[in-house]
Amino acid sequence: MIDEITDFLFGLKMTIISGLFLLVAVIFMIFSIDTPIYLNPAWGTVIISGIPMLLLALTRLIREKWVSSALLIAIAMFASLLIGEIFAAGEVAWIMALGALLEDWTVERAKKGLRNLIDLTPQTGRKIVNGTEKIVAVDEIQIGDTLRILPGESVPVDGEIIQGTSSLDQSIMTGESLPIDKEIGDEVFCGTMNLYGSIDIKATSLGENSSLQKLIDLVKAADEKQAPTQRIADKWATWLVPVALIIAIAAWLVTGNIERGVTVLVVFCPCALILATPTAIMAAIGQATKYGVLIKSGEALEILGGLNTLVFDKTGTLTYGNLEVSDIIPLSDEISEMGLLKMTASCEKLSEHPLAKAIVSNAKEAQVDIEEPNDFKMYPGKGVKCQNSYGEVLAGNAKFLNENNIQMDIESNLDQLRYEGKASIIVALNGQVVGLIGLSDVVREDSKSMIQNLDKIGVESIILTGDNAETANYFAKQVGISNVYGNLLPEEKLEWIEKFKKQGKKVCMIGDGVNDAPALKSADVSVAMGSVGSDVAIEAADIALLGDDIGKIPYLKKLSNSTLFTIKANIIMSMTINAVAIVCSVLGLLNPVTGAIVHNAGSCLVVLNAALLYDRHFDDSIKKIDSENVEHSHYHYHNDGEHTHSHENIKILDEIQTENGIKHMHVHKHALKRESCEAYHT
């Protein structure tokens, strides 16, 4: 009941009415309209804004055993009433209410990303029942149901595409400004928008388990953990109440003027100090949410600002974590590259091993006609054997071929692939080695520039990986990291994190959140490559990069540094204003009315300064693509008589006009899940 009354009286409408009473009191003062003290219009302000403040102070004192700033403001208000300063009492109460509204406004702006998520939560879905479409409530959808999403509709639940292809706008989930192409077998996520083709999906996650709901819950909990600076401010506020009373009583006794003591109480209220940290933290969290970065606590954001060491896992962090065929090396004059790929893919077709799947996938992309293997046998940890049109084919590691008495003289080839951090499959036909297939992880395009940006701001980068040392060093050279530790088990990564911390380093661990969970938990602050739907990644770390955009790490560091600067500036500003106002109050330069104005002006300045963080721009590399520089083009291609259609987003980066009239354009093209830079001549 008390909370409802407080919320109602502190609301916008009642604060406006309270301000109107205060305005009438000001008019009476200007025109010297005398009224009995009990008819002073400022009483309306005292009642409307003062009662909730008094209730808040008593609730915190009795229920929470907390001596809060509201208690000091209530004391100042009562002291003003005792000496007949009705207007001062009303002004203190009203500007406090106004400051609360301003804080709420800042927090609401910071949570704009959350509101967007909630607004995009679909309420219905198009369910396919016996071949017929039926609109049903989301609550009625079950796992395994088939749903149809037409162009322009939102995906109602997490699912997997079972029919059709399209492009989906995932910006609300990942911050990715360009649509993502999707095909059969790809995952789609609740709340994302289907842009072009009609698709059928099989529901895989519902309700509170959906990716969208997990993000909503995460953002709702973002401000539950207080930052260390915020806790310090709370302690200061607790001590300020008795200190303020002592100084106010001393000023009254020394000067013999009770009005000076009351003024001290008015200006001593620590509203600005209390607001300094939470408003800045919430504004920064809201700023990060806009770019697909979820910060789970203010404490994590604050610690991030003081770190000097970033520790990376390799696979899935600096690289995509997906092996692709990188080398096809025939070792016999009688077989071509495509022949070797066809032979190997046909042998690996029934294997479930990730290397086998990568080879088969590459063959399909190359439109190789894969045969059905005969007499297929798989040997776990070694390789596979089968019969096909080529003969008896073996594909596996060196141990597997040695066990089958196949002679090999390919150490130099294997060493070269191993040096380049690549896995290798040795292929033998009818007892003779005929080729090698190399597979490699792919470095993220922005990993190198990200490391360079970190170097510029004085942050050390380290790799901890389970890969062998040669592989780790090869990838480290590609991205520009010199400190590399390989062959590590999860517990050994944890030991290295602890060792770095003992050396006095402030450590941030960045990983995929699965086998890196112990290290993520142990680091001072952790960042997960939180690909949407990855529960472990989001839960294990303090911060999640929803779009798996490693390039946002320098942005995060700059955001944290700026947040810490804003917090410290706010605290210094609030303490300075209070100190000057206290001195002026003791000297009689301020009275309760002017003191209230000075004090609350400081509170408003602090909140407004924090609010500026929300719209501040930190990094040109992560800004959304300007729609004026983007051409949406449709191209038609004819290839071997087949007519295909493609949609591409092209951003013109620069354009040079040559003397002969030929125009060279450097463009950024997004199509078929890949981004590339190409030179066009028009």
Side-chain angles (χ1 to χ4, degrees):
M1 182 66 179
I2 293 177
D3 292 338
E4 285 79 1
I5 294 174
T6 301
D7 292 340
F8 173 71
L9 293 176
F10 264 152
L12 177 60
K13 292 181 180 179
M14 295 308 295
T15 302
I16 292 174
I17 294 173
S18 177
L20 292 175
F21 276 110
L22 201 62
L23 179 61
V24 173
V26 171
I27 294 173
F28 279 23
M29 291 172 61
I30 293 173
F31 292 99
S32 301
I33 300 174
D34 293 327
T35 59
I37 191 170
Y38 57 85
L39 292 179
N40 191 316
W43 275 111
T45 306
V46 172
I47 294 171
I48 294 174
S49 298
I51 287 178
M53 183 177 60
L54 178 61
L55 291 174
L56 180 63
L58 293 176
T59 299
R60 289 176 174 175
L61 183 63
I62 298 172
R63 186 190 299 173
E64 303 176 21
K65 311 299 182 184
W66 177 19
V67 179
S68 66
S69 59
L71 180 61
L72 182 54
I73 295 168
I75 293 172
M77 183 180 69
F78 272 106
S80 299
L81 291 175
L82 287 175
I83 64 172
E85 289 286 355
I86 312 301
F87 179 81
E91 186 181 40
V92 170
W94 183 74
I95 299 184
M96 175 61 183
L98 187 63
L101 278 177
L102 190 57
E103 180 187 5
D104 290 341
W105 172 75
T106 302
V107 172
E108 283 303 310
R109 287 198 74 204
K111 291 184 176 180
K112 183 179 179 181
L114 172 61
R115 291 200 304 274
N116 289 340
L117 288 175
I118 294 174
D119 291 342
L120 284 178
T121 305
Q123 302 301 313
T124 61
R126 195 182 299 272
K127 185 176 177 179
I128 306 298
V129 182
N130 297 324
T132 304
E133 293 182 14
K134 180 182 178 182
I135 303 297
V136 298
V138 170
D139 294 341
E140 297 179 26
I141 297 174
Q142 303 294 322
I143 290 179
D145 283 351
T146 299
L147 306 169
R148 179 161 295 161
I149 298 98
L150 301 180
E153 293 182 344
S154 295
V155 179
V157 296
D158 290 358
E160 178 183 328
I161 297 179
I162 58 176
Q163 183 174 334
T165 60
S166 184
S167 294
L168 275 75
D169 179 0
Q170 297 187 157
S171 59
I172 192 63
M173 305 288 283
T174 66
E176 172 62 51
S177 59
L178 295 174
I180 305 299
D181 299 317
K182 299 281 185 176
E183 58 188 18
I184 294 175
D186 287 342
E187 288 182 292
V188 294
F189 306 107
C190 177
T192 56
M193 179 71 71
N194 183 25
L195 298 180
Y196 305 117
S198 174
I199 55 175
D200 290 352
I201 69 169
K202 179 178 68 176
T204 57
S205 261
L206 307 174
E208 63 182 16
N209 294 319
S210 73
S211 55
L212 180 59
Q213 186 59 48
K214 287 175 182 175
L215 299 190
I216 291 173
D217 293 341
L218 183 58
V219 179
K220 281 182 177 178
D223 62 339
E224 289 183 359
K225 288 185 179 179
Q226 291 186 326
T229 303
Q230 187 172 345
R231 290 194 291 267
I232 292 172
D234 290 339
K235 290 180 180 180
W236 286 356
T238 301
W239 284 103
L240 283 176
V241 173
V243 171
L245 289 173
I246 292 172
I247 295 177
I249 293 172
W252 174 24
L253 295 177
V254 171
T255 63
N257 187 342
I258 191 173
E259 186 178 87
R260 296 191 185 188
V262 173
T263 307
V264 169
L265 291 175
V266 171
V267 301
F268 219 126
C269 298
C271 301
L273 179 62
I274 296 298
L275 296 176
T277 300
T279 51
I281 290 292
M282 285 309 302
I285 289 175
Q287 151 84 226
T289 302
K290 291 194 299 182
Y291 292 105
V293 180
L294 289 188
I295 302 172
K296 297 167 73 172
S297 71
E299 184 174 3
L301 182 64
E302 186 172 337
I303 293 173
L304 187 63
L307 67 85
N308 52 23
T309 305
L310 276 172
V311 176
F312 295 89
D313 175 46
K314 180 189 76 68
T315 306
T317 304
L318 295 172
T319 68
Y320 285 104
N322 297 318
L323 288 175
E324 296 182 1
V325 173
S326 57
D327 301 85
I328 302 174
I329 308 172
L331 298 176
S332 170
D333 295 335
E334 298 177 0
I335 190 167
S336 65
E337 286 189 8
M338 287 299 100
L340 179 61
L341 179 60
K342 178 180 179 179
M343 178 194 307
T344 310
S346 298
C347 189
E348 298 275 18
K349 183 176 181 180
L350 301 181
S351 174
E352 292 297 317
H353 194 280
L355 297 183
K357 289 183 176 181
I359 292 172
V360 173
S361 175
N362 182 265
K364 289 180 178 178
E365 289 179 4
Q367 298 183 344
V368 170
D369 185 18
I370 302 175
E371 299 178 11
E372 289 292 331
N374 297 316
D375 299 327
F376 173 82
K377 292 182 180 180
M378 184 170 67
Y379 301 84
K382 299 177 182 179
V384 295
K385 180 192 293 186
C386 78
Q387 291 282 340
N388 56 31
S389 63
Y390 290 90
E392 184 183 64
V393 180
L394 283 77
N397 56 30
K399 182 179 180 180
F400 179 53
L401 269 68
N402 284 328
E403 290 178 353
N404 284 273
N405 300 316
I406 296 176
Q407 297 297 318
M408 295 181 293
D409 186 20
I410 53 173
E411 284 303 316
S412 60
N413 301 90
L414 292 175
D415 288 343
Q416 180 63 31
L417 291 175
R418 194 178 300 115
Y419 172 76
E420 295 175 355
K422 299 173 181 178
S424 56
I425 297 293
I426 307 170
V427 184
L429 174 64
N430 298 326
Q432 298 291 326
V433 173
V434 293
L436 290 170
I437 292 185
L439 300 99
S440 175
D441 200 350
V442 180
V443 175
R444 294 180 185 271
E445 291 85 354
D446 48 2
S447 291
K448 185 174 182 178
S449 61
M450 180 267 298
I451 297 298
Q452 291 173 342
N453 288 332
L454 290 174
D455 289 340
K456 291 178 183 177
I457 57 179
V459 177
E460 180 185 12
S461 299
I462 299 172
I463 291 180
L464 299 181
T465 179
D467 287 355
N468 64 66
E470 289 182 342
T471 299
N473 282 312
Y474 176 77
F475 282 100
K477 288 179 181 178
Q478 288 186 282
V479 299
I481 297 178
S482 56
N483 296 325
V484 186
Y485 303 89
N487 296 310
L488 300 180
L489 297 173
E491 56 268 26
E492 292 174 323
K493 291 183 181 181
L494 175 60
E495 291 172 3
W496 273 107
I497 294 292
E498 295 294 342
K499 184 177 180 179
F500 294 146
K501 291 169 68 175
K502 288 179 181 178
Q503 294 172 357
K505 296 178 179 179
K506 292 291 185 180
V507 181
C508 173
M509 174 71 186
I510 304 171
D512 60 14
V514 182
N515 56 9
D516 297 316
L520 288 169
K521 288 290 186 182
S522 178
D524 294 300
V525 65
S526 53
V527 179
M529 303 298 289
S531 180
V532 180
S534 176
D535 298 339
V536 177
I538 292 178
E539 291 173 5
D542 302 303
I543 300 169
L545 303 179
L546 300 184
D548 281 358
D549 187 355
I550 194 73
K552 289 176 182 173
I553 295 298
Y555 155 75
L556 259 178
K557 185 70 171 69
K558 292 175 184 177
L559 174 64
S560 180
N561 290 344
S562 185
T563 303
L564 284 181
F565 178 82
T566 299
I567 291 172
K568 292 174 182 177
N570 281 348
I571 291 175
I572 292 172
M573 182 167 57
S574 65
M575 296 295 285
T576 301
I577 291 173
N578 275 16
V580 172
I582 290 168
V583 173
C584 291
S585 300
V586 173
L587 295 177
L589 300 177
L590 293 176
N591 58 38
V593 174
T594 55
I597 294 174
V598 170
H599 158 259
N600 287 286
S603 298
C604 292
L605 284 175
V606 163
V607 176
L608 288 173
N609 186 42
L612 294 176
L613 271 174
Y614 182 75
D615 289 318
R616 191 173 301 171
H617 193 68
F618 293 94
D619 194 339
D620 290 337
S621 66
I622 65 165
K623 68 182 180 180
K624 294 181 179 179
I625 294 177
D626 185 354
S627 60
E628 293 180 0
N629 289 331
V630 178
E631 296 178 0
H632 299 278
S633 305
H634 291 78
Y635 294 89
H636 293 267
Y637 300 97
H638 292 273
N639 183 17
D640 296 332
E642 294 185 1
H643 182 76
T644 60
H645 179 73
S646 171
H647 178 87
E648 298 176 346
N649 292 309
I650 295 178
K651 179 182 179 183
I652 300 175
L653 300 179
D654 56 66
E655 183 176 305
I656 303 173
Q657 186 79 35
T658 60
E659 293 181 359
N660 59 7
I662 297 178
K663 198 185 297 181
H664 295 268
M665 291 190 298
H666 184 212
V667 306
H668 185 275
K669 182 176 74 172
H670 177 87
L672 300 177
K673 298 184 180 178
R674 298 182 183 274
E675 294 182 353
S676 61
C677 288
E678 303 179 5
Y680 281 72
H681 301 277
T682 61

